[in-house]
Each structure stands twice: as C-alpha cells, then as structure tokens.
Amino acid sequence: YHTDEVCQSSGINAEYGGFNNIPKQIPDIYTIGTEQEVNKLTDSVREELARAGFTEVLTFSLCSRDDISSNLRIPKAIDNAVQIANPKTYEFQVVRTQLLPGILKTVSCNRKMPLPLKLFEVSDVVIQQEEADTGCQNLRNVCALYCGKTSGFEVVHGVLDRLMMALNEKDYSIQQSGDPMFFSGRGADVILGSKKIGHLGILHPEVLEKFEISLPCSVLEINLEPLI
C-alpha cells in the first residue's frame, strides 16, 4: 500500500469505523458529464481519414532523442522536448513532439505489406511550456502518411482539403517552407488565418534512410486544437 492510502484508511476507520459505515448522501453539487470538444473533433477526423482509405496506427508516446531531432534533420527540436530523467532504454528518452517518428517506424516494420501504405494517427504530443503548471503542454495532433512507388504528395494534400471541408473550415492556406525534413522545394506550412498549425510535404531521402525506408513518402501533420 502507498503511505497516503494507509493514512486515508486509518482516518476513515477512526471517524466512521470502516468504509461500510460511511453515511450515504446526495452530493451538494449537481454535475453532468459531457465529452470534451477536442475528443469530438478527434473522432470526426478519425472517421474522415478512415473513409479516405487510411489505416489508423497507435504508436508509443516516448521515443529516442534522435527520432525527433537528427533523424528528422532538425537537431534543435530536442530543445523543446520533455526529457525523461532516467530512461531505461534508448528508445524511450523523450516524450514525442511530433507523431511522425512513430508512423515512420511503423512503415519501416511493415515494408513487406502491399503498397501503397496509407497510415494515420490522432493523438497527443507534448512540448515544453514554461507558463504551464507542469512546465509542459499537451497538443492534439493528426498525422497522415502515404508511402508508395510515387511520392503521393497530391494524396496528403487532398487529405488536408478533405479534413478542412468536413470541418467547414475555409480560412486556411499552404505556403512553401524551407523545413529541412522535406525534399527541397517540396514542403509547405499549413496556415489557419495567420497562424501556422502544421506542415506537409515529401520527406527528404536522408530522413527516410534514417528510418530504413527505401520508398518515397509524403506526410501531413497538423495541430487540431485551433480548429475547435
């Protein structure tokens, strides 16, 4: 038993003479449980991507430092990550800041599956946030990846348009970016209003090599919370 549990049990025994003797009463506060808006949005996004022929995956929340930094050609990304103080294995050193590394590992482990591979995940990532009580912040992201004999950029671009149409969101655009994880001139930022909420593009060959993938891949990853 935990020390707090022992103390709590002792207090209840002293006051009431056991758990079974605690008087029953209706709570003073009346509450109704409802689903959080971010979870409603998550379910809608899952349904749309499934209809588009993508398969959902569930990957680990922890990964190695290299997975979110040097393997994606963005070494400074490690500065924004929440690190584990005493990691037991190389694979679980930090909390993921993107969903992409986990999906790339899934592709790497399923290279013998029929092409194309169309995978997605909707889950939380964690970044450092000094203003927060815990020093970090959870963000709900969606990541969709296409892997085949061709890059399939038009597929992930179509996924973005489909999601925005399903959510009745028209105030978005894409702007070319110089993100090093993407092939030169083949990457773009996703802009909602005037704020960047994600990116899409064709992954750089060096990124694919780090994850032992020999086929071209295109990816879309955006933060869903601004769309609520």
Side-chain angles (χ1 to χ4, degrees):
Y1 291 100
H2 193 277
T3 8
D4 292 342
E5 294 176 351
V6 174
C7 293
Q8 186 180 26
S9 299
S10 301
I12 290 174
N13 287 329
E15 185 172 354
Y16 299 109
F19 283 96
N20 294 330
N21 297 324
I22 297 177
K24 297 179 181 180
Q25 62 181 24
I26 299 175
D28 297 329
I29 301 174
Y30 182 71
T31 60
I32 298 176
T34 58
E35 188 178 13
Q36 294 182 344
E37 291 300 320
V38 67
N39 291 333
K40 290 182 182 178
L41 178 61
T42 297
D43 290 340
S44 298
V45 169
R46 282 194 176 108
E47 289 178 7
E48 284 301 321
L49 287 170
R51 291 191 189 105
F54 281 72
T55 301
E56 185 174 13
V57 298
L58 183 63
T59 62
F60 290 115
S61 298
L62 302 180
C63 60
S64 71
R65 296 186 182 96
D66 291 342
D67 284 342
I68 61 169
S69 55
S70 58
N71 287 355
L72 296 179
R73 304 181 79 235
I74 41 175
K76 291 185 178 180
I78 193 66
D79 298 337
N80 203 30
V82 176
Q83 303 196 33
I84 307 301
N86 185 28
K88 298 301 182 184
T89 69
Y90 172 80
E91 290 293 326
F92 300 136
Q93 295 175 319
V94 297
V95 185
R96 61 187 177 186
T97 56
Q98 295 189 56
L99 298 177
L100 178 59
I103 294 185
L104 288 175
K105 287 182 177 180
T106 303
V107 172
S108 179
C109 294
N110 290 274
R111 286 170 292 184
K112 294 183 180 180
M113 296 296 290
L115 297 175
L117 292 176
K118 299 164 68 177
L119 307 176
F120 81 92
E121 181 172 11
V122 191
S123 193
D124 281 3
V125 299
V126 180
I127 59 172
Q128 291 186 21
Q129 181 66 264
E130 294 181 0
E131 294 79 12
D133 294 338
T134 58
C136 59
Q137 180 183 10
N138 283 44
L139 299 173
R140 185 65 53 85
N141 278 17
V142 56
C143 182
L145 179 140
Y146 178 96
C147 177
K149 294 181 179 178
T150 60
S151 64
F153 177 80
E154 70 282 357
V155 177
V156 295
H157 190 184
V159 167
L160 173 64
D161 292 338
R162 177 169 183 155
L163 288 179
M164 293 302 183
M165 185 182 299
L167 299 174
N168 198 27
E169 183 59 65
K170 299 178 181 179
D171 188 21
Y172 76 98
S173 61
I174 61 172
Q175 298 177 4
Q176 185 171 346
S177 73
D179 195 319
M181 80 165 67
F182 297 125
F183 206 94
S184 178
R186 298 292 187 273
D189 294 331
V190 180
I191 309 297
L192 182 67
S194 59
K195 180 183 178 182
K196 176 184 174 182
I197 62 169
H199 50 231
L200 76 160
I202 303 172
L203 290 175
H204 196 281
E206 290 181 8
V207 174
L208 299 176
E209 184 181 357
K210 292 288 186 180
F211 288 92
E212 300 179 355
I213 300 172
S214 58
L215 294 168
C217 296
S218 289
V219 65
L220 163 71
E221 182 160 357
I222 60 174
N223 179 20
L224 291 176
E225 295 183 20
L227 297 168
I228 296 174

